[in-house]
Amino acid sequence: MSAPGADLAKLGASDVKTFHSPKERSVRKTLPAAKGKAAAGATAQGAETAAGNPELGLVLDAKSVSAHGIELRAQVVSVAGATLKVTYDWGDGTTDGTDAYPGQEVSLKHSYAELGEYKVKVTVTDTVNQAESVNELPLSTVGSDFTPYAPTRLLDTREGTGAPRGMVQAYSSTKVKIAGNGKIPAGVTAVALNVTATNTSNPGHVTVFPGGTTRPTTSNVNFVAAQTVPNMVIVPVGKDGTVELYNGSWTPIDLIADITGYFTRTAASGYTPMTPVRAVDTRSGQGAPQGQVGGRKTIGVQLGGWYVPSSATAVALNVTVTNPREDGHLTAYPSGQQAPNTSNVNFKAKQTVANSVIVPVGPDGKVNIFNGAWAGTDVIVDVVGYYSPDSSGAFMSLAPRRMLDTRAWGYGPMYARGYIWMPISTDEEGIAGYVLNTTVTNTQQDGFLSVAPDPNHPSAYDNGTDVFPTRPTASTLNWTAGQTVPNLVQASSGGVNGVVDFWNQSWATTDLIVDMFGYYETK
């Protein structure tokens, strides 16, 4: 089945910027007298009308066109009729040049290798009238790079951490300070949080959104009565430096938020998505000793140099618990550190549950997984991507948008063992991956969801030349019959096809909801 697609260019990034420098900021100077043909070419009439071209100048306007790129328009102001030379110094050691006529607007695009702030200098030269004018335009790229942060609890309403002690009331929000909290810088644009709802007495959901903005209609965490549910969230930070967590239940709940990293508009670590690959399965002994992780025990997972480059600063994982013998939680953290008091996956005895995890990598390339239960459990780890200084995928936030809801699209729920293909950025170059939230509901039997790039271009589906995609084996989220389960997905675009597949790996139908929060764009 095909889901309605969305052109990222039409969606529009929420943090696109524009820049302007008026003609009055141009600085004109007279050049040394030209020699030879250039001087001889100035006619008497030209000398009278141009008079050294005193009005020579530039109006500069720029706008961001990608995470790393800008488009700069230079309006040439001149009273002389001679061909002028326009040169661009982009502020990163590179230059461009073009010819222009008086009154002409010339436009060039430029992509910066590193995110940051730059001062562009544009020069227009009139060699006939021995005049030159320079205008400068400070600008910045709009993409954001990732900085890992040792897992730290920023909010716990049970204990009064980050907010007054006490449950979040029905249909109410609590704010969490992000910018300037601990070692998080003031210029943070987005944050990676593991958000947990607990002490729930009725069904509901949690929506996380930038502080001081209108709450979207999307959800990040869904829960039922007496359920403790975590989910990874990547959310922009409001202008006031906060994010808000909204309780969409008609009874109070407790909320917990743990940070694992943040995004800024300065060069740090970009993101590289991967087709999910299984790194650990304790049931078979893959990547770890065979057998359950014992109660209150830790396993080390070698990722750097194996599944991701040694330069990786953090990894995006999907961590699954299965066959747990009692209630508990898992905590993922970088090797070489003490286990923090945070949690990534919460589980009940005999439950199979998964959660998306972003975790810094230790100096030896390892990530530790701690079993917080007093009895053993099996652990599965799938690698879905990594952050590295060598990666150019910069985060671009979008106003949250519901991309798919099979309860309302007219075709019914997902077929058993079937898949839905969704075009998102077809034929758009430079889109590396997407930040999505997937939720399954109305589940009839136990199962799991897989998300992977589709090898087909949408046109192949249209003309019947598509090939059946290879069924993935890695899981994005797991459920038991009757559950509603969400999970963050950092899905690969698969290149210019820009199509993502959502696989129902159950033998019964299920409904699927997909919300989009942003994407990663290369330079």
Side-chain angles (χ1 to χ4, degrees), residues 111-145:
S111 181
Y112 290 97
E114 299 286 346
L115 300 179
E117 297 181 349
Y118 297 90
K119 181 177 287 187
V120 179
K121 183 169 70 174
V122 183
T123 304
V124 57
T125 304
D126 180 354
T127 57
V128 172
N129 291 284
Q130 300 94 53
E132 178 181 277
S133 190
V134 178
N135 198 346
E136 294 185 337
L137 180 64
L139 50 77
S140 62
T141 52
V142 296
S144 295
D145 270 1

Side-chain angles (χ1 to χ4, degrees), residues 138-155:
L139 50 77
S140 62
T141 52
V142 296
S144 295
D145 270 1
F146 183 76
T147 298
Y149 199 89
T152 304
R153 185 143 292 173
L154 299 185
L155 173 72

Side-chain angles (χ1 to χ4, degrees), residues 164-210:
R165 183 177 181 180
M167 303 178 83
V168 180
Q169 296 303 302
Y171 306 118
S172 300
S173 296
T174 185
K175 278 193 173 185
V176 181
K177 182 182 179 183
I178 304 297
N181 191 344
K183 296 181 180 180
I184 307 170
V188 63
T189 58
V191 63
L193 297 173
N194 195 63
V195 175
T196 303
T198 190
N199 297 326
T200 60
S201 54
N202 277 294
H205 67 273
V206 177
T207 298
V208 187
F209 59 102

Side-chain angles (χ1 to χ4, degrees), residues 327-397:
D327 298 358
H329 68 273
L330 292 185
T331 298
Y333 63 100
S335 64
Q337 300 183 13
Q338 292 290 106
N341 66 338
T342 58
S343 63
N344 297 99
V345 185
N346 297 71
F347 53 86
K348 298 286 187 181
K350 300 181 180 180
Q351 184 184 24
T352 296
V353 60
N355 195 29
S356 179
V357 175
I358 298 174
V359 59
V361 178
D364 57 358
K366 288 185 177 181
V367 169
N368 289 337
I369 308 290
F370 169 71
N371 175 17
W374 291 98
T377 184
D378 280 307
V379 176
I380 303 166
V381 178
D382 297 319
V383 184
V384 300
Y386 60 90
Y387 296 90
S388 165
D390 299 327
S391 301
S392 61
F395 177 64
M396 296 286 282
S397 64

